[in-house]
Amino acid sequence: MITGKFPNLRLRRSRKYDWSRRLVEENSLSSNDFILPIFIIDGKNKKQAIKSMPGIYRYTIDHLEKVVNEAIKNKIPMIALFPCISQKKKDVFGSEALNEDNLVCKAIRFIKLKFNNEIGIMCDVALDPYTSHGHDGLIKSQYVLNDETVDILTKQSLLQAQMGCDVIAPSDMMDGRVGKIRKKLDKEGYEMVQILSYAVKYASNFYGPFRDAVGSKNSLKGNKKNYQMDFKNSSESLREVALDIKEGADIVMVKPGLPYLDIIKLVKDSFKIPVFAYQVSGEYSLIRNGIKNNLIDKNSILESLISFKRAGASAIVTYFALEIAKKIKN
């Protein structure tokens, strides 16, 4: 579409001053756009640095009050909990996922008691933090079983809802799990608990630091390519999203983020449903280390987050959430 011709039209006119640029900007960020991931560990009075993720920590539950309070103060709408449990609590079945006194369950109860509904709580539904082999489900002959895994994930989802979780987030990529979870939640009286489906989750090379953070990196046997999506595919993402919407997903996630902006746009343009993006650990660490080594400017953080909004994301799970929320506020 041609809207004018030089010299009558000079697009640089609106770029001359800061006030003018602000008037015509097409996308912006607010604290409402962020979900803050929080890593949790057993024990007391611990704030444990994650070497592969500079500036990010694992917290014991007694440290959560301060972290969550900071999120609320900076108007972040939701946190996402990720556990790092000891190796002795892991087994081939991921049994600890169904323990009502596991780390996530205790954290949910603590946050709800302290903050009621001032902030939303999102919980991952997958077995990888709990399995001795590091996979998201049950394994037979080096293959992750689908239906048997879904049965366990459904129980895990119900347990999290009973503890007070607001948003159940299946990240496992098993077929049919959203429908089974939705049916079970509705049957048990949790029809108002939302499902945020990791509908489009790629078998990506950008997850390394996260696996380190939740303690599954060293135990992972093989890869996750027989259940996570092939990063060479895009149309397949629409089939995944369509299935999950039909099964009852309220929101869908695209993961990772920056290498998949085209997928975010494709999904957003094709379905009228909230689409969230996950700026994963590898993206975070690359940007953070790039800034630390003076390879890129610190404003690259803001630029990366705006790119998600430009692509059509409604919200972003990002380890930069608190830092940028404070900057926006100030």
Side-chain angles (χ1 to χ4, degrees), residues 23-279:
L23 281 172
V24 298
E25 69 183 19
E26 298 174 29
N27 294 280
S28 60
L29 284 170
S30 79
S31 296
N32 296 331
D33 293 315
F34 300 137
I35 298 164
L36 175 66
I38 302 174
F39 295 107
I40 50 178
I41 51 170
D42 277 312
K44 290 185 177 180
N45 196 30
K46 290 181 186 174
K47 180 182 176 182
Q48 195 176 80
I50 302 167
K51 290 181 181 179
S52 57
M53 299 180 70
I56 303 300
Y57 301 87
R58 303 182 192 95
Y59 300 94
T60 49
I61 289 174
D62 55 350
H63 270 282
L64 284 181
E65 184 173 1
K66 183 178 180 182
V67 180
V68 176
N69 197 52
E70 275 288 287
I72 292 171
K73 191 170 91 172
N74 287 282
K75 302 188 184 303
I76 292 173
M78 186 161 70
I79 58 170
L81 299 175
F82 297 99
C84 179
I85 68 170
S86 66
Q87 202 65 32
K88 66 182 181 181
K89 290 185 179 180
K90 299 182 181 186
D91 59 30
V92 293
F93 306 108
S95 305
E96 182 67 7
L98 303 184
N99 176 7
E100 66 178 20
D101 281 320
N102 69 28
L103 195 51
V104 168
C105 291
K106 287 191 286 189
I108 295 169
R109 293 196 297 263
F110 176 84
I111 294 165
K112 281 296 177 184
L113 185 64
K114 290 285 182 181
F115 299 101
N116 196 13
N117 292 312
E118 288 184 73
I119 194 165
I121 302 174
M122 168 178 142
C123 295
D124 229 35
V125 173
L127 300 184
D128 52 326
Y130 305 101
T131 54
S132 52
H133 46 71
H135 280 283
D136 296 50
L138 305 182
I139 288 184
K140 185 176 181 180
S141 301
Q142 298 183 326
Y143 185 77
V144 173
L145 301 173
N146 193 88
D147 297 9
E148 294 86 346
T149 296
V150 169
D151 287 341
I152 296 175
L153 298 177
T154 303
K155 292 174 184 176
Q156 184 185 16
S157 299
L158 177 60
L159 177 60
Q160 291 177 353
Q162 289 169 334
M163 295 299 109
C165 179
D166 302 293
V167 180
I168 301 295
S171 65
D172 55 284
M173 288 301 285
M174 299 299 118
D175 290 334
R177 87 275 204 216
V178 171
K180 288 282 185 73
I181 291 169
R182 183 75 273 163
K183 186 176 180 180
K184 186 65 173 176
L185 291 177
D186 290 357
K187 182 180 177 182
E188 299 295 331
Y190 296 98
E191 63 276 356
M192 296 307 290
V193 171
Q194 297 180 59
I195 295 178
L196 190 166
S197 168
Y198 286 68
V200 185
K201 184 177 181 180
Y202 284 88
S204 172
N205 298 291
F206 287 84
Y207 298 146
F210 177 89
R211 290 172 184 164
D212 181 30
V214 298
S216 67
K217 188 173 185 176
N218 293 330
S219 56
L220 181 61
K221 309 289 193 300
N223 58 56
K224 302 189 177 186
K225 292 183 179 181
N226 69 53
Y227 50 103
Q228 294 179 355
M229 277 185 59
D230 187 337
F231 60 72
K232 296 184 287 293
N233 295 352
S234 57
S235 296
E236 185 184 5
S237 67
L238 298 180
R239 300 182 72 190
E240 288 282 4
V241 171
L243 279 170
D244 285 2
I245 291 174
K246 284 185 178 179
E247 290 178 16
D250 300 286
I251 306 161
V252 295
M253 180 87 83
V254 175
K255 181 181 180 182
L258 288 175
Y260 298 92
L261 294 176
D262 61 317
I263 306 300
I264 297 169
K265 181 166 176 53
L266 181 65
V267 172
K268 187 66 175 183
D269 288 348
S270 301
F271 302 97
K272 305 308 175 188
I273 188 171
V275 179
F276 288 6
Y278 200 136
Q279 187 178 47

Side-chain angles (χ1 to χ4, degrees), residues 4-20:
K5 187 179 179 181
F6 179 85
N8 290 335
L9 178 64
R10 292 179 181 266
L11 291 175
R12 290 183 57 194
R13 285 190 195 114
S14 59
R15 299 175 196 155
K16 186 174 182 180
Y17 300 107
D18 175 69
W19 59 262
S20 180

